[in-house]
Amino acid sequence: MISKLAVVETTSIGMESSIAEFVVIRSGVTIGDNVTIHPHVVIESGVTIEDGVEIFPGTYIGKSPKGAGATSRPISFKPWVRIGSDCAIGPNAVIYYEVEIGNNTLIGDGASIRDQVTIGHHCIISRYVTINYASQIGNNTKIMDLTHITGKCHIGDNVFIGMLVSTANDNNLVAREYVEEEIIGPKVQDGATIGSGTTVLPGISIGEGALVGAQTLVSRDVAPYKLAMGNPARIIKDLRMVKP
């Protein structure tokens, strides 16, 4: 069902899909079966929405990144987006071009996902999370409200990141210059947990199965299966020694 008040320029729409009033869908968009698109959604050309996806009001998919002459990083992107089957995209989310989202992933209200980002299947990107450019998020990973994932960050599978976590990727703050090889986001390995309010500095590695306590400043690598806490972080114990 397509509302008479929607602007729909594509004919590639699957069976049993619903497009509400004031939706704008440009040519070159592909929409699968049983997709629900609520009012005031904008979807640009080159976007693929697979079966069973629900997109809530005010969402914008296929945003072109703009430097406006103010950014140090040169802007380049490919004009495509793929949203896997059975995803839910919350109200007012913004998904830039060159983004891939796996099946059964929840994108929360007001989330912003920049260009060149890959997100796995069965993930939660919660309310007002921001994910900067060229970052990878693994499968079954949960990132809670108001967390910022910096550009060129790598997050593995089965990772949990609490609320209000901040990550950084540039130690050369004084120069105000963009040097590609010096921009290195943190790497969070499979099964790691980062507590709420933590800050992770550029280039840091948090090992497989590690646990970083809340409000920790992580300025050095955390080895696998270690508990790290404090400001700056220090290793408290080996989690493999903890009895169940």
Side-chain angles (χ1 to χ4, degrees), residues 9-12 24-32 42-50 55 60-64 77-84 95-101:
E9 298 175 354
T10 184
T11 58
S12 184
V24 177
I25 300 176
R26 298 301 182 192
S27 61
V29 172
T30 300
I31 296 172
V42 176
I43 304 176
E44 300 286 4
S45 298
V47 174
T48 298
I49 309 292
E50 296 190 354
I55 304 171
Y60 185 18
I61 302 175
K63 186 177 188 298
S64 297
F77 64 94
K78 297 176 182 178
W80 62 268
V81 174
R82 188 190 77 83
I83 297 177
I95 299 173
Y96 284 68
Y97 270 131
E98 201 171 344
V99 168
E100 182 168 7
I101 299 173

Short mmCIF file of all heavy atoms in Angstrom, two decimals, residues 9-12 24-32 42-50 55 60-64 77-84 95-101:
data_model
loop_
_atom_site.label_atom_id
_atom_site.label_comp_id
_atom_site.label_asym_id
_atom_site.label_seq_id
_atom_site.Cartn_x
_atom_site.Cartn_y
_atom_site.Cartn_z
N GLU A 9 9.43 7.42 -6.53
CA GLU A 9 9.96 7.45 -7.90
C GLU A 9 10.47 6.09 -8.36
O GLU A 9 10.84 5.94 -9.52
CB GLU A 9 11.08 8.48 -7.98
CG GLU A 9 10.61 9.91 -7.68
CD GLU A 9 11.73 10.91 -7.65
OE1 GLU A 9 12.91 10.50 -7.74
OE2 GLU A 9 11.45 12.12 -7.54
N THR A 10 10.52 5.11 -7.46
CA THR A 10 10.97 3.77 -7.84
C THR A 10 9.78 2.86 -8.09
O THR A 10 8.71 3.05 -7.50
CB THR A 10 11.87 3.17 -6.75
OG1 THR A 10 12.37 1.91 -7.20
CG2 THR A 10 11.11 2.95 -5.45
N THR A 11 10.00 1.87 -8.92
CA THR A 11 8.99 0.83 -9.13
C THR A 11 9.41 -0.50 -8.54
O THR A 11 8.67 -1.48 -8.62
CB THR A 11 8.72 0.65 -10.64
OG1 THR A 11 9.93 0.31 -11.31
CG2 THR A 11 8.15 1.92 -11.25
N SER A 12 10.58 -0.52 -7.94
CA SER A 12 11.12 -1.77 -7.39
C SER A 12 10.68 -1.91 -5.93
O SER A 12 11.45 -1.63 -5.00
CB SER A 12 12.65 -1.78 -7.50
OG SER A 12 13.17 -3.01 -7.05
N VAL A 24 9.37 10.26 0.95
CA VAL A 24 10.02 10.55 -0.33
C VAL A 24 11.00 9.43 -0.63
O VAL A 24 11.94 9.20 0.14
CB VAL A 24 10.75 11.90 -0.31
CG1 VAL A 24 11.48 12.13 -1.65
CG2 VAL A 24 9.77 13.04 -0.04
N ILE A 25 10.77 8.73 -1.74
CA ILE A 25 11.65 7.64 -2.17
C ILE A 25 12.09 7.93 -3.59
O ILE A 25 11.27 8.02 -4.51
CB ILE A 25 10.95 6.28 -2.09
CG1 ILE A 25 10.51 5.99 -0.64
CG2 ILE A 25 11.87 5.17 -2.58
CD1 ILE A 25 9.72 4.72 -0.48
N ARG A 26 13.40 8.08 -3.79
CA ARG A 26 13.93 8.46 -5.09
C ARG A 26 14.07 7.24 -6.02
O ARG A 26 14.00 6.09 -5.59
CB ARG A 26 15.27 9.16 -4.92
CG ARG A 26 15.20 10.44 -4.12
CD ARG A 26 14.26 11.45 -4.74
NE ARG A 26 14.22 12.71 -3.99
CZ ARG A 26 13.31 13.66 -4.21
NH1 ARG A 26 12.36 13.47 -5.13
NH2 ARG A 26 13.35 14.78 -3.51
N SER A 27 14.30 7.52 -7.28
CA SER A 27 14.52 6.45 -8.26
C SER A 27 15.78 5.69 -7.90
O SER A 27 16.70 6.23 -7.28
CB SER A 27 14.64 7.04 -9.67
OG SER A 27 15.75 7.93 -9.74
N GLY A 28 15.83 4.42 -8.31
CA GLY A 28 17.00 3.61 -8.02
C GLY A 28 17.00 2.98 -6.64
O GLY A 28 17.97 2.34 -6.25
N VAL A 29 15.92 3.14 -5.89
CA VAL A 29 15.77 2.48 -4.58
C VAL A 29 15.11 1.12 -4.81
O VAL A 29 14.19 0.99 -5.62
CB VAL A 29 14.92 3.34 -3.62
CG1 VAL A 29 14.60 2.58 -2.35
CG2 VAL A 29 15.65 4.64 -3.30
N THR A 30 15.57 0.11 -4.06
CA THR A 30 14.97 -1.22 -4.10
C THR A 30 14.41 -1.55 -2.73
O THR A 30 15.13 -1.47 -1.72
CB THR A 30 16.00 -2.29 -4.51
OG1 THR A 30 16.51 -1.98 -5.81
CG2 THR A 30 15.38 -3.67 -4.53
N ILE A 31 13.15 -1.91 -2.68
CA ILE A 31 12.46 -2.21 -1.43
C ILE A 31 11.91 -3.63 -1.51
O ILE A 31 11.22 -3.99 -2.47
CB ILE A 31 11.32 -1.21 -1.18
CG1 ILE A 31 11.91 0.21 -1.00
CG2 ILE A 31 10.50 -1.59 0.05
CD1 ILE A 31 10.87 1.29 -0.94
N GLY A 32 12.22 -4.43 -0.49
CA GLY A 32 11.81 -5.82 -0.48
C GLY A 32 10.36 -6.02 -0.07
O GLY A 32 9.55 -5.09 -0.02
N VAL A 42 12.84 9.84 4.25
CA VAL A 42 13.45 10.16 2.96
C VAL A 42 14.50 9.09 2.64
O VAL A 42 15.38 8.82 3.46
CB VAL A 42 14.12 11.55 2.96
CG1 VAL A 42 14.83 11.81 1.64
CG2 VAL A 42 13.08 12.64 3.23
N ILE A 43 14.38 8.49 1.46
CA ILE A 43 15.32 7.46 1.01
C ILE A 43 15.86 7.87 -0.35
O ILE A 43 15.10 8.02 -1.32
CB ILE A 43 14.65 6.08 0.94
CG1 ILE A 43 14.03 5.70 2.29
CG2 ILE A 43 15.66 5.02 0.50
CD1 ILE A 43 13.26 4.39 2.29
N GLU A 44 17.18 8.03 -0.43
CA GLU A 44 17.82 8.51 -1.66
C GLU A 44 18.13 7.35 -2.60
O GLU A 44 18.10 6.17 -2.23
CB GLU A 44 19.09 9.28 -1.31
CG GLU A 44 18.88 10.50 -0.43
CD GLU A 44 18.25 11.68 -1.16
OE1 GLU A 44 17.89 11.55 -2.36
OE2 GLU A 44 18.10 12.75 -0.54
N SER A 45 18.49 7.69 -3.83
CA SER A 45 18.83 6.70 -4.86
C SER A 45 19.99 5.82 -4.41
O SER A 45 20.89 6.27 -3.69
CB SER A 45 19.22 7.41 -6.15
OG SER A 45 18.15 8.17 -6.65
N GLY A 46 19.96 4.57 -4.86
CA GLY A 46 21.04 3.64 -4.55
C GLY A 46 20.88 2.85 -3.28
O GLY A 46 21.74 2.06 -2.92
N VAL A 47 19.76 3.03 -2.58
CA VAL A 47 19.51 2.34 -1.31
C VAL A 47 18.75 1.04 -1.57
O VAL A 47 17.79 1.02 -2.35
CB VAL A 47 18.72 3.24 -0.34
CG1 VAL A 47 18.33 2.47 0.92
CG2 VAL A 47 19.53 4.48 0.01
N THR A 48 19.16 -0.02 -0.89
CA THR A 48 18.45 -1.30 -0.93
C THR A 48 17.93 -1.62 0.46
O THR A 48 18.70 -1.67 1.42
CB THR A 48 19.37 -2.44 -1.41
OG1 THR A 48 19.81 -2.15 -2.75
CG2 THR A 48 18.65 -3.77 -1.39
N ILE A 49 16.62 -1.82 0.56
CA ILE A 49 15.96 -2.19 1.81
C ILE A 49 15.46 -3.62 1.63
O ILE A 49 14.57 -3.87 0.81
CB ILE A 49 14.79 -1.25 2.13
CG1 ILE A 49 15.20 0.23 2.05
CG2 ILE A 49 14.18 -1.59 3.48
CD1 ILE A 49 16.15 0.68 3.10
N GLU A 50 15.99 -4.55 2.42
CA GLU A 50 15.59 -5.95 2.25
C GLU A 50 14.30 -6.27 3.00
O GLU A 50 13.73 -5.41 3.69
CB GLU A 50 16.75 -6.86 2.66
CG GLU A 50 17.97 -6.67 1.75
CD GLU A 50 19.05 -7.71 1.96
OE1 GLU A 50 18.93 -8.54 2.89
OE2 GLU A 50 20.02 -7.70 1.18
N ILE A 55 10.88 1.14 9.09
CA ILE A 55 11.59 2.41 9.19
C ILE A 55 10.62 3.44 9.77
O ILE A 55 9.56 3.73 9.19
CB ILE A 55 12.10 2.87 7.81
CG1 ILE A 55 12.98 1.78 7.19
CG2 ILE A 55 12.88 4.17 7.94
CD1 ILE A 55 13.35 2.04 5.75
N TYR A 60 16.33 9.46 7.62
CA TYR A 60 16.93 9.84 6.35
C TYR A 60 18.00 8.81 5.99
O TYR A 60 18.95 8.63 6.75
CB TYR A 60 17.55 11.24 6.47
CG TYR A 60 18.11 11.82 5.18
CD1 TYR A 60 17.75 11.34 3.93
CD2 TYR A 60 18.99 12.89 5.22
CE1 TYR A 60 18.24 11.89 2.77
CE2 TYR A 60 19.50 13.46 4.05
CZ TYR A 60 19.11 12.95 2.84
OH TYR A 60 19.62 13.50 1.68
N ILE A 61 17.83 8.15 4.87
CA ILE A 61 18.74 7.09 4.44
C ILE A 61 19.35 7.46 3.09
O ILE A 61 18.63 7.74 2.13
CB ILE A 61 18.02 5.73 4.34
CG1 ILE A 61 17.38 5.37 5.70
CG2 ILE A 61 18.98 4.64 3.90
CD1 ILE A 61 16.55 4.10 5.67
N GLY A 62 20.69 7.46 3.06
CA GLY A 62 21.40 7.83 1.84
C GLY A 62 21.85 9.28 1.85
O GLY A 62 21.89 9.93 0.81
N LYS A 63 22.24 9.77 3.01
CA LYS A 63 22.71 11.15 3.11
C LYS A 63 24.12 11.25 2.53
O LYS A 63 24.99 10.44 2.85
CB LYS A 63 22.72 11.61 4.57
CG LYS A 63 23.07 13.08 4.75
CD LYS A 63 22.99 13.48 6.22
CE LYS A 63 23.14 14.98 6.41
NZ LYS A 63 24.44 15.49 5.96
N SER A 64 24.36 12.24 1.70
CA SER A 64 25.70 12.49 1.17
C SER A 64 26.52 13.26 2.20
O SER A 64 26.08 14.29 2.69
CB SER A 64 25.62 13.31 -0.12
OG SER A 64 24.93 12.61 -1.13
N PHE A 77 32.91 8.98 -1.26
CA PHE A 77 31.97 7.92 -0.88
C PHE A 77 31.36 7.34 -2.15
O PHE A 77 31.41 7.93 -3.22
CB PHE A 77 30.87 8.47 0.03
CG PHE A 77 29.98 9.49 -0.65
CD1 PHE A 77 28.79 9.11 -1.26
CD2 PHE A 77 30.35 10.82 -0.69
CE1 PHE A 77 27.98 10.04 -1.89
CE2 PHE A 77 29.55 11.76 -1.33
CZ PHE A 77 28.37 11.37 -1.92
N LYS A 78 30.76 6.16 -1.99
CA LYS A 78 30.01 5.52 -3.06
C LYS A 78 28.52 5.59 -2.72
O LYS A 78 28.14 5.30 -1.57
CB LYS A 78 30.47 4.08 -3.24
CG LYS A 78 31.94 3.98 -3.65
CD LYS A 78 32.40 2.53 -3.73
CE LYS A 78 33.88 2.46 -4.10
NZ LYS A 78 34.38 1.05 -4.14
N PRO A 79 27.67 5.95 -3.66
CA PRO A 79 26.26 6.22 -3.36
C PRO A 79 25.39 4.96 -3.28
O PRO A 79 24.55 4.70 -4.13
CB PRO A 79 25.83 7.12 -4.51
CG PRO A 79 26.68 6.68 -5.66
CD PRO A 79 28.01 6.30 -5.06
N TRP A 80 25.59 4.19 -2.22
CA TRP A 80 24.76 3.01 -2.00
C TRP A 80 24.60 2.79 -0.50
O TRP A 80 25.44 3.20 0.31
CB TRP A 80 25.35 1.76 -2.65
CG TRP A 80 26.71 1.36 -2.11
CD1 TRP A 80 27.93 1.73 -2.60
CD2 TRP A 80 26.97 0.55 -0.95
NE1 TRP A 80 28.94 1.21 -1.83
CE2 TRP A 80 28.38 0.48 -0.81
CE3 TRP A 80 26.18 -0.11 -0.03
CZ2 TRP A 80 29.00 -0.23 0.22
CZ3 TRP A 80 26.78 -0.83 1.01
CH2 TRP A 80 28.18 -0.88 1.12
N VAL A 81 23.53 2.14 -0.13
CA VAL A 81 23.26 1.68 1.24
C VAL A 81 22.56 0.34 1.13
O VAL A 81 21.69 0.16 0.25
CB VAL A 81 22.37 2.67 2.03
CG1 VAL A 81 22.00 2.09 3.40
CG2 VAL A 81 23.04 4.02 2.18
N ARG A 82 22.90 -0.59 2.01
CA ARG A 82 22.15 -1.84 2.08
C ARG A 82 21.72 -2.08 3.51
O ARG A 82 22.56 -2.10 4.43
CB ARG A 82 22.96 -3.04 1.60
CG ARG A 82 22.10 -4.31 1.49
CD ARG A 82 22.92 -5.57 1.26
NE ARG A 82 23.56 -6.01 2.50
CZ ARG A 82 22.95 -6.76 3.42
NH1 ARG A 82 21.69 -7.11 3.28
NH2 ARG A 82 23.60 -7.14 4.51
N ILE A 83 20.42 -2.24 3.72
CA ILE A 83 19.87 -2.54 5.03
C ILE A 83 19.29 -3.95 4.98
O ILE A 83 18.37 -4.24 4.19
CB ILE A 83 18.81 -1.51 5.44
CG1 ILE A 83 19.48 -0.14 5.57
CG2 ILE A 83 18.15 -1.92 6.76
CD1 ILE A 83 18.55 0.97 5.90
N GLY A 84 19.84 -4.83 5.80
CA GLY A 84 19.47 -6.24 5.76
C GLY A 84 18.07 -6.51 6.25
O GLY A 84 17.39 -5.65 6.84
N ILE A 95 21.32 7.78 8.18
CA ILE A 95 22.25 6.79 7.67
C ILE A 95 22.84 7.34 6.37
O ILE A 95 22.13 7.59 5.41
CB ILE A 95 21.54 5.45 7.42
CG1 ILE A 95 20.97 4.91 8.74
CG2 ILE A 95 22.51 4.44 6.80
CD1 ILE A 95 20.09 3.68 8.58
N TYR A 96 24.15 7.56 6.39
CA TYR A 96 24.84 8.13 5.24
C TYR A 96 25.01 7.07 4.15
O TYR A 96 24.77 5.88 4.34
CB TYR A 96 26.21 8.65 5.67
CG TYR A 96 26.16 9.96 6.41
CD1 TYR A 96 25.61 10.06 7.69
CD2 TYR A 96 26.70 11.12 5.86
CE1 TYR A 96 25.58 11.26 8.38
CE2 TYR A 96 26.68 12.33 6.54
CZ TYR A 96 26.11 12.39 7.79
OH TYR A 96 26.08 13.59 8.48
N TYR A 97 25.50 7.54 2.99
CA TYR A 97 25.85 6.62 1.92
C TYR A 97 27.03 5.73 2.30
O TYR A 97 27.80 6.04 3.19
CB TYR A 97 26.22 7.40 0.66
CG TYR A 97 25.06 7.70 -0.27
CD1 TYR A 97 24.84 8.98 -0.75
CD2 TYR A 97 24.20 6.69 -0.68
CE1 TYR A 97 23.80 9.26 -1.63
CE2 TYR A 97 23.14 6.96 -1.55
CZ TYR A 97 22.95 8.24 -2.02
OH TYR A 97 21.90 8.50 -2.88
N GLU A 98 27.15 4.63 1.58
CA GLU A 98 28.19 3.62 1.73
C GLU A 98 28.17 3.02 3.14
O GLU A 98 29.17 2.96 3.84
CB GLU A 98 29.57 4.20 1.40
CG GLU A 98 30.58 3.11 1.04
CD GLU A 98 31.90 3.62 0.49
OE1 GLU A 98 31.98 4.80 0.08
OE2 GLU A 98 32.85 2.82 0.47
N VAL A 99 27.00 2.55 3.51
CA VAL A 99 26.77 1.89 4.80
C VAL A 99 26.09 0.56 4.53
O VAL A 99 25.15 0.48 3.73
CB VAL A 99 25.91 2.76 5.73
CG1 VAL A 99 25.44 1.96 6.95
CG2 VAL A 99 26.68 4.00 6.18
N GLU A 100 26.55 -0.47 5.24
CA GLU A 100 25.90 -1.78 5.17
C GLU A 100 25.51 -2.21 6.57
O GLU A 100 26.33 -2.16 7.50
CB GLU A 100 26.82 -2.82 4.55
CG GLU A 100 26.17 -4.18 4.43
CD GLU A 100 26.95 -5.15 3.56
OE1 GLU A 100 28.08 -4.80 3.15
OE2 GLU A 100 26.45 -6.26 3.31
N ILE A 101 24.25 -2.62 6.73
CA ILE A 101 23.72 -3.05 8.02
C ILE A 101 23.19 -4.47 7.85
O ILE A 101 22.38 -4.74 6.95
CB ILE A 101 22.61 -2.11 8.50
CG1 ILE A 101 23.17 -0.69 8.68
CG2 ILE A 101 21.99 -2.61 9.80
CD1 ILE A 101 22.11 0.35 8.98
#
